[in-house]
């Protein structure tokens, strides 16, 4: 099976498994796990932040950030397709008690004027805007990169209004590799950043939340409150260290393979997609012109050995990652072509 559902499906590498077996551990709630400390220090230094926190998942990292930056009844500005709003089970409302104000973006970018407009004035009727969230790369925008110049504009707005800026950088290393800019350049433009170790970087679990020392001190308490205080967790931090230090450069292969897949998909009649929009490892194709539902399409695709995801609105998502080689992409293209041909015949 060629599994293109997500880059979360990767398995730990042999080096990661060896590091897990040999990891030095201690009770991390007491601050005694040396491997976790090494991971947090390495991540903070890579991201140019004072401190970092090892959290269980991207969702936990994002939600701990929201809890730390806000108080109940405040308002948070997010792009209308952002993961933190779209895919995190309404956690911002349920946990932080904040109200979400969505701003529709283009390729993941909210227009700076729209962001300015969404910030509340000081009025007795209004919630206080206390946080703006960005996502880079933007998942539902097909892995689009938010350029540094764009992040500068949003940072200026946030600073002027004294509003915190959080970055969901689940795939921030992909943005760094695609643009050739060091990851620190993206991280330095925000107050807090969450990066996933378990997506393209192939660790079995975990994310990093980074920010100022004071922010991470308070975030650590929120992580504990959410049940994320872990004990001899160096066994899970060890593959995270390998993810950060050894797995970044190979991401370009995933980007190249996604581009190859996108260019083949764009040639298939009945499939709409713009190959130039594929900047990183995510490919989103519109199959609404085929005579089949996304569910049928995915079912038939699985029968020819390819797995992909239903992204709603007639969109199918394919994600490249470690373990997907050039041959797999060529085989996937043949399988997709076969399914497209079958459904086109009746259109
Ligand atoms: N995204 C998953 C699914 O939840 C959709 C995927 O397969 O892409 N931010 C972004 C931008 C993400 O894409 C994800 C995961 C997360 C946060 C949450 O990370 P986890 O799954 O570790 O909680």
């Amino acid at each position: 099976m060629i599994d293109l559902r997500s880059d979360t499906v990767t398995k730990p590498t042999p080096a990661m498994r060896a590091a897990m077996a040999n990891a030095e551990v201690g009770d991390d709630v007491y601050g005694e796990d040396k491997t976790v400390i090494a991971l947090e220090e390495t991540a903070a230094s890579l991201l140019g932040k004072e401190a970092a926190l090892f959290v269980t998942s991207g969702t936990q990292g994002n939600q701990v950030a929201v809890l730390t930056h806000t108080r109940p009844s405040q308002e948070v500005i997010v792009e209308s397709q952002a993961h933190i709003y779209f895919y995190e089970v309404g956690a911002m409302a349920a946990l932080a008690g904040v109200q979400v104000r969505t701003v529709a973006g283009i390729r993941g970018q909210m227009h700076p004027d729209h962001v300015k407009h969404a910030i509340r004035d000081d009025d007795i009727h209004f919630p206080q805007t206390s946080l703006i969230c960005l996502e880079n790369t933007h998942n539902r925008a097909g892995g689009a990169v938010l350029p540094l110049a764009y992040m500068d504009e949003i940072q200026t707005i946030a600073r002027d209004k004294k509003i915190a800026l959080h970055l969901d950088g689940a795939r921030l290393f992909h943005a760094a590799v695609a643009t050739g800019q060091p990851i620190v350049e993206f991280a330095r433009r925000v107050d807090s950043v969450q990066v996933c170790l378990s997506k393209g970087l192939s660790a079995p679990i975990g994310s990093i939340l980074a920010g100022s020392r004071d922010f991470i001190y308070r975030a650590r308490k929120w992580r504990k409150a959410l049940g994320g205080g872990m004990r001899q967790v160096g066994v899970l931090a060890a593959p995270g260290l390998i993810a950060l230090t050894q797995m970044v450069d190979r991401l370009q292969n995933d980007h190249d393979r996604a581009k190859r897949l996108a260019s083949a998909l764009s040639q298939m009649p009945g499939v709409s997609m713009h190959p130039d929009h594929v900047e990183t490892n995510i490919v989103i194709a519109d199959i609404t012109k085929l005579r089949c539902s996304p569910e049928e399409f995915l079912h038939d695709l699985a029968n020819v050995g390819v797995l992909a995801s239903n992204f709603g609105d007639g969109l199918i998502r394919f994600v490249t990652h470690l373990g997907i080689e050039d041959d797999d992409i060529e085989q996937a293209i043949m399988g997709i072509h076969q399914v497209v041909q079958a459904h086109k015949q009746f259109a």
Side-chain angles (χ1 to χ4, degrees):
M1 207 47 107
I2 301 167
D3 193 346
L4 302 172
R5 285 172 302 166
S6 182
D7 46 6
T8 59
V9 301
T10 52
K11 307 246 168 76
T13 63
M16 287 179 177
R17 285 185 184 272
M20 291 169 86
N22 297 317
E24 197 176 343
V25 296
D27 190 324
D28 185 50
V29 174
Y30 290 112
E32 292 171 1
D33 190 303
K34 291 205 171 115
T35 311
V36 172
I37 293 169
L39 173 66
E40 291 178 343
E41 285 177 354
T42 303
S45 141
L46 270 172
L47 294 165
K49 295 289 183 205
E50 284 176 3
L53 182 68
F54 181 43
V55 291
T56 57
S57 65
T59 301
Q60 189 179 68
N62 283 338
Q63 296 304 325
V64 163
V66 174
L67 283 158
T68 310
H69 282 301
T70 66
R71 288 197 311 277
S73 96
Q74 291 182 329
E75 199 163 65
V76 178
I77 297 176
V78 303
E79 199 282 321
S80 59
Q81 303 267 313
H83 192 284
I84 200 167
Y85 159 73
F86 202 96
Y87 284 127
E88 298 190 9
V89 208
M92 279 198 274
L95 304 178
V98 291
Q99 178 162 291
V100 176
R101 182 107 184 239
T102 58
V103 173
I106 297 176
R107 302 203 29 77
Q109 297 180 32
M110 302 176 275
H111 193 291
D113 290 344
H114 298 172
V115 174
K116 267 191 215 158
H117 184 72
I119 296 172
R120 300 286 192 158
D121 290 332
D122 184 8
D123 180 302
I124 190 165
H125 301 90
F126 292 161
Q128 186 188 6
T129 308
S130 59
L131 179 65
I132 301 172
C133 297
L134 298 177
E135 182 175 316
N136 202 0
T137 62
H138 194 294
N139 186 348
R140 286 192 61 81
V145 175
L146 307 191
L148 292 175
Y150 171 76
M151 292 187 62
D152 280 338
E153 288 190 69
I154 303 297
Q155 183 192 27
T156 303
I157 295 169
R159 281 207 175 147
D160 284 353
K161 298 280 184 184
K162 298 193 172 39
I163 295 170
L165 185 57
H166 172 69
L167 175 60
D168 176 353
R171 297 185 180 83
L172 192 58
F173 280 104
H174 296 80
V177 166
T179 56
Q181 299 284 348
I183 194 156
V184 69
E185 287 301 324
F186 294 89
R188 92 159 83 228
R189 286 162 166 84
V190 295
D191 298 301
S192 60
V193 54
Q194 181 274 118
V195 292
C196 285
L197 305 168
S198 64
K199 306 229 151 43
L201 303 183
S202 308
I205 186 173
S207 275
I208 292 293
L209 179 63
S212 69
R213 215 177 300 288
D214 170 64
F215 173 83
I216 292 300
Y217 174 81
R218 291 181 293 119
R220 196 177 286 279
K221 290 192 81 113
W222 276 118
R223 184 191 68 173
K224 188 78 181 79
L226 296 181
M230 301 176 283
R231 302 295 176 174
Q232 287 70 27
V233 75
V235 288
L236 298 180
L241 262 171
I242 293 179
L244 286 182
T245 54
Q246 297 175 29
M247 303 302 287
V248 174
D249 291 343
R250 61 156 306 285
L251 293 178
Q252 188 58 49
N253 300 332
D254 296 344
H255 298 178
D256 294 343
R257 288 173 183 138
K259 285 196 180 86
R260 163 73 188 122
L261 177 61
S263 108
L265 281 168
S266 70
Q267 312 276 311
M268 296 185 194
V271 177
S272 314
M273 77 145 318
H274 207 308
D276 291 347
H277 284 175
V278 175
E279 298 174 73
T280 57
N281 68 328
I282 298 181
V283 178
I284 297 180
D286 183 334
I287 58 146
T288 41
K289 291 201 190 106
L290 294 178
R291 178 149 297 184
C292 66
S293 68
E295 290 77 14
E296 285 171 290
F297 183 83
L298 290 175
H299 175 266
D300 292 358
L301 210 52
N303 282 340
V304 296
V306 181
L307 297 179
S309 306
N310 187 346
F311 237 38
D313 302 327
L315 302 174
I316 303 292
R317 185 185 75 164
F318 304 86
V319 187
T320 55
H321 51 78
L322 181 74
I324 298 294
E325 303 294 334
D326 291 338
D327 288 351
D328 298 313
I329 292 295
E330 296 312 318
Q331 212 180 312
I333 290 169
M334 283 194 293
I336 299 166
H337 190 251
Q338 201 179 320
V339 174
V340 166
Q341 285 296 110
H343 291 293
K344 190 188 80 152
Q345 282 166 12
F346 305 104

